[in-house]
Amino acid sequence: MTPMTIEGEKTRPKAATARRALVGRLSWGLADQAASSISNFVVGIYVARSLGVTAFGVFSLAWVTYGVVLNVSRGLATDPLVVRFSGVPEASWRGAVARSTGTALGVGGALGAACLVAGLGLGGRVGPAFACLGVMLPGLLLQDAWRFSFFAAGAGRKAFVNDVVWGVALVPAMVVAARVGSVAAFVLAWGASATVAAGYGYLQSGIRPRMTEARGWLREQRDLGYRYLVENVSLSGASQLRAYGLGAIVGVSAVGAVRGAELLMGPFLAVLMGLSLVTVPEAARVLRQAPHRLGRFCLLLGGGQAGAALLWGAALLLMPDRLGELVLGDVWHSSAALIAPITLGVAGAGLGTGAAAGLRALGAARRSLRCQLFASACYVSGGLGGAVMAGTVGSAWGVAAATVSGSAVWWLQLRSALREHRQNSISEVRTS
């Protein structure tokens, strides 16, 4: 047996083991997001059926606002953690997690206080929901930070268990909220159950979040953190502006109709978001181990998600009205007309996610920021321009066109970044 043959036989088991490990990590990502999305789906469906389309619109405004704050936390706290501390020695990971979770907790406290004051000032139907959201934000953000921390360590099982704890705690909280029968009660139930899971995350990790070291973390990660902050907030902020604008142009019920259609995409979005938890760490691993495979990895990732979204949307279009009414109640009739454009938008987002993971792994924060700002501007202009021209349906088609256009820009930037990375690698080899 020649030495080359022996070396080949040794390489094959290693490759098979690496593939099994990758599949395992992706599976835990999907399982974790399934648990999280089921909880969110149940909350959304329960509120939609219990309170009607207008109250569901109020709840959706609070939900969208939470999304903005969540993306602030991720940009400053957990995105740099995932990029720089995935697969590192445990001691390094634990120190980074203590500072990262402390930052997330600090963001929740500061923005939660602002949200509480704003809610008390607004009053009416929207104010109480926002005030309750402000109280719950620290727990919500800390729970999310634990999830990303576990995935950075390759411990997706712990993130899954944490989300299961959230789901279990949500059941009695929802029962109490249903008896009260208000949007604010449901916001409190959702946030309180997340806070229980956040406390359990501390028990799982044995790491105490250090808010006092948040400033040091922000300083250390400022080259990535602030760009990711702008990138993330532009994404969620665009969604919030579109929701507020749609409510002003068409009415709050239109916001509820859009959220209802998005809920119908919930099972697929669970897959999309579940993969997003592990795509950046995995892309970072591919870059370190086999950089020439990063482009193919991203293409398979994005193309697979886009194809799956189109298949799910086709199934929704064939769903009988009776089944739709069973799921969403009165909201179904407003949401059914939005299935086709929202499916196309989600497919475009899925395709772009593959390129975004590659840019994050490459640390190309300037390029990813440029892409996100362009995509967000298109999202707002398409969503509100469409609303002015053709109401809720026009807004949905405008967003779909914007998302597909944004995805094309993501891929153009990834191609340029990969070319630049190859040239830099060749230069380093020649000079060494």
Side-chain angles (χ1 to χ4, degrees):
M1 185 175 293
T2 64
M4 186 175 294
T5 304
I6 296 173
E7 184 178 347
E9 290 181 354
K10 289 180 178 179
T11 302
R12 280 194 292 272
K14 289 182 179 179
T17 301
R19 282 195 296 271
R20 284 196 297 271
L22 171 61
V23 170
R25 290 191 295 268
L26 290 175
S27 298
W28 280 119
L30 292 173
D32 169 72
Q33 190 57 47
S36 176
S37 294
I38 287 172
S39 298
N40 294 338
F41 183 75
V42 169
V43 171
I45 293 299
Y46 207 79
V47 175
R49 291 183 59 84
S50 301
L51 302 179
V53 66
T54 301
F56 187 53
V58 174
F59 182 83
S60 299
L61 290 176
W63 187 283
V64 169
T65 303
Y66 157 71
V68 175
V69 178
L70 180 65
N71 278 299
V72 172
S73 175
R74 288 179 177 177
L76 294 175
T78 52
D79 284 346
L81 175 77
V82 168
V83 170
R84 287 183 166 153
F85 295 91
S86 293
V88 300
E90 184 179 359
S92 178
W93 173 81
R94 290 181 68 86
V97 168
R99 300 194 302 277
S100 175
T101 52
T103 302
L105 199 56
V107 170
L111 296 185
C115 196
L116 174 62
V117 171
L120 294 175
L122 283 172
R125 304 185 69 174
V126 177
F130 275 71
C132 293
L133 175 65
V135 173
M136 293 292 106
L137 276 176
L140 284 162
L141 298 189
L142 181 58
Q143 193 275 337
D144 185 75
W146 287 128
R147 295 171 68 208
F148 279 82
S149 299
F150 292 140
F151 277 110
R157 181 180 61 84
K158 290 186 176 181
F160 169 73
V161 171
N162 192 276
D163 270 323
V164 168
V165 169
W166 185 1
V168 171
L170 187 61
V171 174
M174 289 289 287
V175 172
V176 174
R179 290 180 179 176
V180 176
S182 68
V183 176
F186 281 105
V187 172
L188 284 174
W190 167 55
S193 54
T195 302
V196 171
Y200 184 65
Y202 167 72
L203 296 177
Q204 287 177 292
S205 64
I207 300 172
R208 182 172 59 85
R210 297 176 182 172
M211 290 181 60
T212 56
E213 296 189 16
R215 182 176 297 178
W217 173 261
L218 295 175
R219 185 171 55 252
E220 292 169 11
Q221 311 301 328
R222 62 181 178 275
D223 59 325
L224 293 182
Y226 292 118
R227 287 195 176 98
Y228 288 156
L229 169 65
V230 176
E231 182 181 328
N232 290 355
V233 171
S234 68
L235 171 64
S236 53
S239 178
Q240 188 177 29
L241 286 174
R242 187 257 184 136
Y244 289 167
L246 185 61
I249 295 168
V250 184
V252 176
S253 60
V255 182
V258 170
R259 177 61 185 157
E262 291 172 347
L263 280 174
L264 293 173
M265 294 294 295
F268 173 74
L269 289 174
V271 175
L272 179 65
M273 296 175 68
L275 288 173
S276 71
L277 289 169
V278 293
T279 50
V280 176
E282 292 307 322
R285 288 185 177 94
V286 171
L287 180 64
R288 284 195 292 267
Q289 297 170 6
H292 62 284
R293 295 180 181 172
L294 181 60
R296 186 187 307 170
F297 173 82
C298 295
L299 182 60
L300 289 173
L301 179 67
Q305 290 178 97
L310 293 174
L311 289 174
W312 182 261
L316 289 177
L317 289 171
L318 298 174
M319 188 168 66
D321 286 342
R322 185 180 302 175
L323 182 57
E325 291 171 359
L326 179 64
V327 175
L328 290 178
D330 294 338
V331 179
W332 162 254
H333 299 288
S334 302
S335 300
L338 309 180
I339 291 174
I342 285 181
T343 296
L344 183 60
V346 172
L351 184 62
T353 297
L359 287 174
R360 288 271 173 111
L362 289 165
R366 287 185 179 180
R367 290 185 182 275
S368 61
L369 175 59
R370 197 178 304 147
C371 291
Q372 192 55 67
L373 290 176
F374 174 81
S376 298
C378 289
Y379 185 94
V380 174
S381 58
L384 297 185
V388 171
M389 291 188 291
T392 310
V393 175
S395 178
W397 280 110
V399 165
T403 306
V404 173
S405 300
S407 178
V409 173
W410 277 105
W411 279 100
L412 289 172
Q413 288 293 323
L414 177 62
R415 186 176 66 175
S416 299
L418 287 171
R419 187 185 304 118
E420 185 178 282
H421 179 75
R422 283 193 294 269
Q423 291 172 348
N424 291 339
S425 298
I426 292 172
S427 299
E428 289 175 3
V429 170
R430 287 175 176 172
T431 57
S432 61

